[in-house]
């Protein structure tokens, strides 16, 4: 699996940008494999790709409850990109059934995990792939590798007969604007008509369009001490806090010894 064989290693942000001239087809030395084909790369993958994510992102309970089954059920949709045998990028997705409507979208990241796993176990025929995460090794950003990960997953979806490809996108720059709603952020475009955010632009350059915000896409809770450890900051009183790399505010309740973070993502659809 991308970033390893457990949740803290598998879950990833989606972060990167495909250069304007890139097509999603990489140079000949780039090899695409699945993590199930190359379990010997788990440790290298963890070292190469995990460090780019904030610690709190690995403490989503819904994801922890479902990730082992995701690893078991959906192996073809968990890919690594190798350059001369070395891990440089990776990504994973899950198939699920979608009726094609905005109202029929799952509740973001967590809802998609639940829908995909429960649908598989109930024998529901999937028609959609949701790209859940992509990661690029920190010294290989800007080379179009994130776009190649997306292209590889889209090709696998098409080969499996899945009609739609979606993604609950976690925009790279949204953490700089935690007071802005995702609806507001979704409308921030540059003079060339593309979005301000580089990860959204990567999807757009591959033909994707914005569908709608995905509220409560991830729910992460912990004690105040846990949140202080994850965020590497002190919460001296109850209230709402700006936390580094969080897209939304974190609610701290010292009386209840509880920190709560509800992250909104952005649904995008590839065509």
């Amino acid at each position: 699996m991308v970033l390893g064989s457990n949740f803290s290693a598998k879950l990833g942000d989606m972060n990167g940008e495909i250069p304007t001239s890139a097509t999603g087809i990489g140079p000949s030395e780039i090899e695409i494999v699945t993590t199930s084909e190359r379990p010997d790369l788990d440790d290298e993958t963890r070292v190469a790709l995990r460090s780019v994510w904030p610690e709190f992102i690995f403490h989503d309970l819904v994801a922890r409850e479902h990730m082992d089954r995701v690893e078991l059920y959906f192996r073809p949709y968990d890919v690594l990109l190798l350059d001369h045998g070395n891990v440089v990028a990776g990504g994973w997705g899950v198939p699920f059934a979608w009726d094609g409507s905005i109202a029929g979208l799952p509740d973001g990241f967590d809802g998609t995990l639940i829908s995909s796993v429960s649908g598989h176990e109930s024998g529901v025929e999937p028609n959609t792939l949701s790209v859940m995460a992509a990661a690029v090794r920190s010294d290989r950003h800007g080379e179009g590798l994130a776009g190649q990960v997306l292209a590889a997953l889209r090709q696998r979806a098409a080969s499996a007969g899945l009609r739609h490809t979606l993604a609950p996108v976690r925009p790279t720059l949204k953490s700089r604007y935690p007071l802005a709603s995702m609806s507001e952020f979704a409308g921030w475009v540059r003079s060339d008509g593309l979005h301000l955010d580089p990860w959204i632009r990567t999807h757009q350059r591959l033909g994707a369009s914005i569908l709608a915000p995905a509220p409560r896409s991830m729910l992460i809770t912990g004690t105040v001490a846990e949140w202080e450890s994850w965020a590497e900051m002190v919460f001296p009183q109850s209230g709402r806090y700006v936390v580094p790399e969080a897209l939304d505010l974190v609610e701290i309740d010292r009386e209840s010894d509880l920190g709560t973070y509800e992250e909104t993502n952005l649904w995008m659809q590839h065509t």
Side-chain angles (χ1 to χ4, degrees), residues 20 57 63 74 86 101 114 126-127 130 132 137 157 161 172 189 210 231 245 248:
T20 304
I57 210 74
F74 309 129
N86 298 313
S101 70
I114 294 170
N127 63 358
S130 177
M132 302 298 280
R137 204 173 73 190
T172 305
V189 298
I210 293 172
E245 300 187 75
D248 299 281

Side-chain angles (χ1 to χ4, degrees), residues 70-225:
V70 167
E71 180 178 359
L72 178 63
Y73 298 157
F74 309 129
R75 293 177 179 177
Y77 305 110
D78 190 355
V79 301
L80 294 173
L81 270 59
L82 309 182
D83 186 354
H84 296 94
N86 298 313
V87 177
V88 292
W92 60 281
V94 294
F96 71 104
W98 177 47
D99 66 8
S101 70
I102 299 295
L105 289 168
D107 291 333
F109 187 96
D110 287 354
T112 302
L113 285 180
I114 294 170
S115 179
S116 64
V117 169
S118 63
H120 179 86
E121 292 174 345
S122 301
V124 176
E125 187 71 22
N127 63 358
T128 302
L129 180 72
S130 177
V131 178
M132 302 298 280
V136 176
R137 204 173 73 190
S138 60
D139 64 335
R140 300 296 297 267
H141 288 176
E143 299 180 27
L145 294 172
Q148 292 180 47
V149 171
L150 294 178
L153 290 171
R154 293 197 322 179
Q155 290 167 3
R156 286 169 181 264
S159 296
L162 303 179
R163 299 199 304 271
H164 311 288
T165 299
L166 303 175
V169 173
R170 188 175 196 267
T172 305
L173 299 183
K174 178 61 174 68
S175 62
R176 300 184 185 181
Y177 308 96
L179 301 182
S181 70
M182 187 61 80
S183 294
E184 293 172 317
F185 187 82
W188 295 356
V189 298
R190 307 187 308 185
S191 58
D192 63 1
L194 294 176
H195 200 274
L196 177 75
D197 185 84
W199 186 224
I200 294 176
R201 288 199 301 273
T202 297
H203 287 267
Q204 289 177 325
R205 286 174 173 148
L206 290 171
S209 58
I210 293 172
L211 291 181
R216 211 172 185 268
S217 184
M218 300 183 75
L219 174 64
I220 299 169
T221 60
T223 65
V224 175

Side-chain angles (χ1 to χ4, degrees), residues 18 22-27 144 147-148 151 155:
I18 185 170
T23 64
I25 304 300
Q148 292 180 47
Q155 290 167 3

Side-chain angles (χ1 to χ4, degrees), residues 221-227 235-239 251-260:
T221 60
T223 65
V224 175
E226 287 174 329
W227 268 104
F235 302 109
Q237 63 184 41
S238 296
E251 182 78 30
I252 296 294
D253 185 341
R254 293 198 66 88
E255 186 174 314
S256 300
D257 191 25
L258 180 66
T260 303

